[in-house]
Amino acid sequence: MPAGFAAGGLGAGIKRSGKPDLAIVRATNGPAAVAAVFTPNAFAAAPVRLSRAHLAATDPAGGGGHGWAEAIVSTSGCANAATGPAGDADQRRVADLLAAALGVPVERTLLLSTGIIGTRLPLDRVEAGIAALAPGLSTTDEALESAARALMTTDSQVKMATASIALPDPDGLAVRTVTVTGIAKGVGMIHPRMATMLAIVLTDAAVEPSVLHRMLRSATARTWDQLSVDGDTSTNDTVFVLASGASGSAGVAAGSGPARLLGSAIEAVARELARQQAADGEGATTLLTCQVTGAVDDPTARAVARAVVSSSLVKAAVHGRDPNWGRIAGAAGNAQLADASVLEAGGLDPDVAAARAGVPAAVDPDRIRIAIAGTLVFDGAVDGPVDFDRSAVRAAMDAPEVIVRLDLGSGDGTGEAFGCDLSETYVIENSEYTT
Amino acid sequence: MPAGFAAGGLGAGIKRSGKPDLAIVRATNGPAAVAAVFTPNAFAAAPVRLSRAHLAATDPAGGGGHGWAEAIVSTSGCANAATGPAGDADQRRVADLLAAALGVPVERTLLLSTGIIGTRLPLDRVEAGIAALAPGLSTTDEALESAARALMTTDSQVKMATASIALPDPDGLAVRTVTVTGIAKGVGMIHPRMATMLAIVLTDAAVEPSVLHRMLRSATARTWDQLSVDGDTSTNDTVFVLASGASGSAGVAAGSGPARLLGSAIEAVARELARQQAADGEGATTLLTCQVTGAVDDPTARAVARAVVSSSLVKAAVHGRDPNWGRIAGAAGNAQLADASVLEAGGLDPDVAAARAGVPAAVDPDRIRIAIAGTLVFDGAVDGPVDFDRSAVRAAMDAPEVIVRLDLGSGDGTGEAFGCDLSETYVIENSEYTT
């Protein structure tokens, strides 16, 4: 747990199962700098809209993407999406309850929610839960894990990741250890478009919201935007990064060496959480990672990697441990570059990003090489299909992670994407009851 | 069977099962005008590349999209995709065999193939098959059905559709009946992007290739571009429309009344084939149709409809006959407008199409209304969720076609899309063996 935060989670009865469903994270060092990325879904949920409004109130220049906050509350089991004006009123009530319980201004609260779309929050239970949880928030790692557990819906595993870096103190005479720790949930309705499901990343670095926001968007372009479980983008996707400044390190200026270090740590945490989310995808039996090299540039590599892990046919083949490289080639051949906003976040100039958004990725069948679980199966430069030991590759695919590598043979661009296999269990889980 | 064509199909042994796998369609009235739409996949198969080259040779102005042809041969069971230069040579050999057997110039042949990616065509069997089939082509409906049967791979049903219109004869003194008949196959690796799997549409109208091509692209934008089974775009997608002129009707001029009639007939046949393909999607138990009204324009309506039928979560819910409107709202909220080429084919000016390609569709949650199988379940204008009889809707969804209607409440734009449910069978079929 980074310095300057306390957390906790409990079961408030929002979920019928009685499992943990209410989490609170509090900044204990005064308002924390916040950067956020939200779902682009037109049906953005009430907590998404209210969080945007609160951030905009604390930092008008941030347009709802960054600002200051002192507390986050997450309710799990009910998405509070597509609930109309009544749902918005419910969410404002949750914010008021949190603000009153912690003694903070309501515009410095942030809201997360996940679960069934179209149902109302049980406000009486949320009220009782906040009253019970708020006094007992703790700075321990266990408390953060308890909060992470209360984010979960169909997740089978708690998702946490951490990284540490050394940054100078304000005098420049000593270094301080800065910690970046994230918690997240998956695991359905996940697709790469700006953000994916819920994640909270905490750091005790000292950094301005706008600088933090650039770091988050850059990290997201390389991690959460490259994660797909099932091709659907949720109404509630939210990632918050909060920086408390409590490490005692100097303020991190944009473009500085410390900024690069902190940005890398945030990206490392985001990447690890994205991998955990993919591995725990609904019905998944294996993590599917696609690593692309030799692309004309990084956005092209990321587009190809994303297309491969998003393909239903590739995912089904991986489920059957079938080294079906034809489907991988077919998926790579359909890759299209990301949205302009994602391309811009990934480092392209706005004009270039606008011109290249959604265009087909440059893939030359006569240059591409494909390897599955370490074995070359296709080499476009030498007639295509490669003779390989199918049963050995099948055996190598029977692992917790299946890595597909593509060398496009056309440049220095690299990228990766994270997904999972498609199983009968996914279909059963998602057809048998309303989620 | 429209006048001016003969056809046939048989089992040549390309498929191990011995099922029909070789089809020939011949124009008997001299070269037929041809319009084509091919997959945009970078791994376009050898038959796609050779067909494009042949069309370009017969009509340089068409750039491979339209021209003249006298015969089509289709091989099923082997896609001849990602097979390198050897695969290209194999495909040229198939064209030479067809040209020799029918006594037509090789550049007036068109090639189709579908099946496993990355395997070579068994040329000896194809040669024997063409020799056996070519002499016995017939103008009967049964012969066309036999050809349609030989297109199939994992299809469970033969797919055919027909429409008739009356067009004036060259003197303008009498009308001639013009027939438009199509055959097609599905049923996996299907996703809306320019074309979908294999289809051959025949008409005895007299029309120039370039005029025919505009009709085909317009029809495709409203039909095959709106069809999704599993989100994957094949390496072999091809649609050919051939016009023999043998009806004796006058030449159909661009922009004329007869052109509108013929275009509508082609679109009607394409729509019916797309519906048959969706209904027979791999593992599908029901056709899923989404009809959108009240959009700001038609491209927006089509984008929303396509997003709904493409959503894995919506498809799984439909499989479970679960009126899960929250997932429908979520999918609609993620809709993005189509590629520029599809928008242009659908009627937008090139500049407008380029500017709007891929942008989020205009969806206002406060105006949208959603009905499932005839029952209103969500009304954004009056607080959102509507109380409805869940068990009655579940019962109504237990049908060969489930219709989801969305009224966006924002204009006069309409559109529809065709898909199917997602079942365990889809996963099993696609994970248990290489296809």
Side-chain angles (χ1 to χ4, degrees):
Chain A
M1 174 81 93
F5 296 101
L10 56 67
I14 306 167
K15 296 178 183 167
R16 287 185 202 167
S17 65
K19 288 184 181 172
D21 53 19
L22 182 77
I24 297 176
V25 174
R26 179 174 189 176
T28 57
N29 195 40
V34 180
V37 176
F38 298 105
T39 178
N41 197 306
F43 269 89
V48 168
R49 284 177 282 140
L50 189 56
S51 294
R52 266 202 215 113
H54 284 181
L55 285 175
T58 61
D59 186 359
H66 52 79
W68 300 90
E70 295 194 60
I72 303 174
V73 62
S74 167
T75 42
S76 184
C78 165
N80 197 15
T83 41
D88 286 325
D90 291 347
Q91 200 67 54
R92 285 194 300 272
R93 173 79 180 140
V94 174
D96 287 339
L97 290 168
L98 180 71
L102 298 180
V104 302
V106 69
E107 69 270 17
R108 290 200 202 134
T109 63
L110 297 171
L111 299 308
L112 293 168
S113 205
T114 175
I116 301 173
I117 297 174
T119 61
R120 300 274 300 275
L121 282 167
L123 280 183
D124 50 343
R125 294 178 189 187
V126 174
E127 179 167 7
I130 289 174
L133 182 57
L137 301 178
S138 155
T139 60
T140 62
D141 292 348
E142 291 69 29
L144 187 62
E145 182 174 334
S146 172
R149 194 172 296 278
L151 294 184
M152 293 163 62
T153 50
T154 55
D155 304 62
S156 70
Q157 302 290 331
V158 175
K159 293 168 184 67
M160 303 181 70
T162 193
S164 291
I165 54 175
L167 292 185
D169 70 2
D171 298 329
L173 298 176
V175 294
R176 303 282 182 170
T177 298
V178 166
T179 303
V180 179
T181 299
I183 60 177
K185 72 163 293 283
V187 284
M189 223 185 217
I190 288 190
H191 196 56
R193 200 164 148 226
M194 307 232 209
T196 289
M197 301 308 290
L198 308 186
I200 301 170
V201 179
L202 307 174
T203 176
D204 42 23
V207 56
E208 288 296 311
S210 62
V211 178
L212 191 62
H213 192 252
R214 280 199 294 277
M215 291 176 186
L216 173 61
R217 288 300 286 121
S218 172
T220 301
R222 289 171 175 76
T223 58
W224 278 303
D225 283 332
Q226 295 292 105
L227 166 66
S228 179
V229 168
D230 55 10
D232 286 281
T233 304
S234 153
T235 50
N236 291 54
D237 290 346
T238 302
V239 178
F240 290 131
V241 181
L242 277 69
S244 70
S247 64
S249 65
V252 174
S256 64
R260 281 190 294 278
L261 266 180
L262 181 61
S264 294
I266 290 171
E267 183 175 325
V269 167
R271 179 178 185 273
E272 177 56 28
L273 290 173
R275 285 172 57 88
Q276 292 179 24
Q277 288 169 315
D280 196 25
E282 287 180 345
T285 65
T286 185
L287 171 63
L288 167 61
T289 304
C290 182
Q291 301 171 339
V292 176
T293 56
V296 293
D297 52 25
D298 290 356
T300 299
R302 290 198 288 266
V304 170
R306 207 173 50 224
V308 170
V309 304
S310 300
S311 160
S312 293
L313 290 169
V314 170
K315 289 155 62 76
V318 168
H319 183 60
R321 271 57 180 176
D322 175 8
N324 192 326
W325 60 264
R327 293 182 184 170
I328 295 169
N334 282 323
Q336 294 179 282
L337 267 64
D339 291 346
S341 65
V342 174
L343 292 179
E344 203 177 327
L348 295 189
D349 288 334
D351 289 351
V352 178
R356 298 192 60 200
V359 305
V363 174
D364 182 348
D366 295 335
R367 292 173 180 226
I368 195 170
R369 296 191 307 155
I370 302 173
I372 302 174
T375 297
L376 185 71
V377 296
F378 180 88
D379 189 340
V382 287
D383 259 18
V386 170
D387 277 329
F388 65 95
D389 181 343
R390 187 167 289 266
S391 62
V393 176
R394 290 184 78 96
M397 292 173 77
D398 193 10
E401 178 174 10
V402 173
I403 301 178
V404 172
R405 287 204 176 91
L406 289 89
D407 176 2
L408 303 188
S410 303
D412 297 324
T414 63
E416 61 182 348
F418 314 101
C420 58
D421 57 327
L422 173 62
S423 70
E424 301 93 312
T425 309
Y426 175 86
V427 179
I428 294 167
E429 278 189 18
N430 284 297
S431 63
E432 292 198 340
Y433 50 87
T434 295
T435 54
Chain B
M1 174 84 92
F5 296 100
L10 55 66
I14 306 167
K15 295 178 183 168
R16 289 185 201 166
S17 65
K19 289 185 180 172
D21 53 19
L22 182 78
I24 296 177
V25 174
R26 178 172 190 178
T28 58
N29 195 41
V34 179
V37 176
F38 299 105
T39 178
N41 197 307
F43 269 88
V48 169
R49 284 178 282 141
L50 190 57
S51 294
R52 266 201 216 117
H54 284 181
L55 286 175
T58 61
D59 185 359
H66 52 79
W68 300 90
E70 295 195 61
I72 303 174
V73 62
S74 167
T75 41
S76 183
C78 166
N80 197 16
T83 42
D88 286 325
D90 290 347
Q91 200 67 53
R92 285 194 300 271
R93 173 79 180 140
V94 174
D96 287 339
L97 290 167
L98 180 70
L102 298 180
V104 302
V106 70
E107 69 270 19
R108 290 200 202 134
T109 63
L110 297 171
L111 298 309
L112 293 169
S113 205
T114 174
I116 300 173
I117 297 174
T119 62
R120 300 275 300 275
L121 282 167
L123 280 184
D124 51 342
R125 295 178 188 187
V126 174
E127 179 167 5
I130 289 175
L133 183 57
L137 300 178
S138 155
T139 60
T140 63
D141 292 347
E142 291 69 28
L144 188 62
E145 182 173 332
S146 173
R149 197 172 294 280
L151 293 184
M152 292 163 62
T153 51
T154 54
D155 303 64
S156 69
Q157 302 289 331
V158 176
K159 293 167 185 67
M160 302 181 70
T162 193
S164 292
I165 54 174
L167 292 186
D169 70 3
D171 298 329
L173 298 176
V175 293
R176 304 279 182 171
T177 298
V178 166
T179 303
V180 180
T181 300
I183 59 176
K185 73 161 293 282
V187 283
M189 225 187 214
I190 290 191
H191 196 57
R193 199 163 148 225
M194 307 233 208
T196 289
M197 300 309 289
L198 307 186
I200 301 170
V201 179
L202 306 174
T203 176
D204 41 23
V207 56
E208 289 296 310
S210 62
V211 178
L212 191 62
H213 191 253
R214 279 200 293 277
M215 290 176 186
L216 174 60
R217 288 300 285 121
S218 172
T220 301
R222 289 170 176 75
T223 57
W224 278 304
D225 283 332
Q226 295 292 105
L227 166 65
S228 178
V229 168
D230 55 9
D232 286 281
T233 304
S234 154
T235 51
N236 291 53
D237 289 347
T238 302
V239 177
F240 290 131
V241 181
L242 277 69
S244 69
S247 63
S249 65
V252 174
S256 64
R260 281 190 293 278
L261 266 181
L262 181 60
S264 294
I266 291 172
E267 182 174 324
V269 168
R271 179 178 186 272
E272 177 55 28
L273 290 173
R275 284 173 58 88
Q276 292 178 23
Q277 289 169 314
D280 196 24
E282 286 180 345
T285 65
T286 185
L287 171 63
L288 167 61
T289 303
C290 182
Q291 301 171 339
V292 177
T293 56
V296 293
D297 52 24
D298 289 357
T300 298
R302 290 198 289 266
V304 170
R306 208 173 50 226
V308 170
V309 303
S310 300
S311 159
S312 293
L313 289 169
V314 171
K315 290 155 63 77
V318 169
H319 183 60
R321 271 56 179 177
D322 175 8
N324 192 327
W325 61 264
R327 293 183 186 169
I328 295 169
N334 283 323
Q336 294 178 281
L337 267 63
D339 292 346
S341 65
V342 174
L343 293 178
E344 205 177 323
L348 294 190
D349 288 333
D351 289 351
V352 177
R356 299 190 60 199
V359 305
V363 174
D364 181 347
D366 295 335
R367 291 172 180 226
I368 196 171
R369 295 190 306 155
I370 302 173
I372 301 174
T375 298
L376 184 72
V377 295
F378 180 87
D379 189 338
V382 287
D383 260 18
V386 170
D387 276 327
F388 64 96
D389 181 343
R390 187 167 288 265
S391 62
V393 177
R394 291 185 77 98
M397 292 173 77
D398 194 9
E401 178 174 9
V402 172
I403 300 178
V404 172
R405 287 206 176 90
L406 289 88
D407 175 1
L408 303 189
S410 303
D412 297 324
T414 62
E416 60 182 349
F418 314 103
C420 59
D421 57 326
L422 173 62
S423 69
E424 300 93 313
T425 309
Y426 174 86
V427 179
I428 293 167
E429 279 188 19
N430 284 297
S431 63
E432 291 197 340
Y433 50 86
T434 295
T435 54

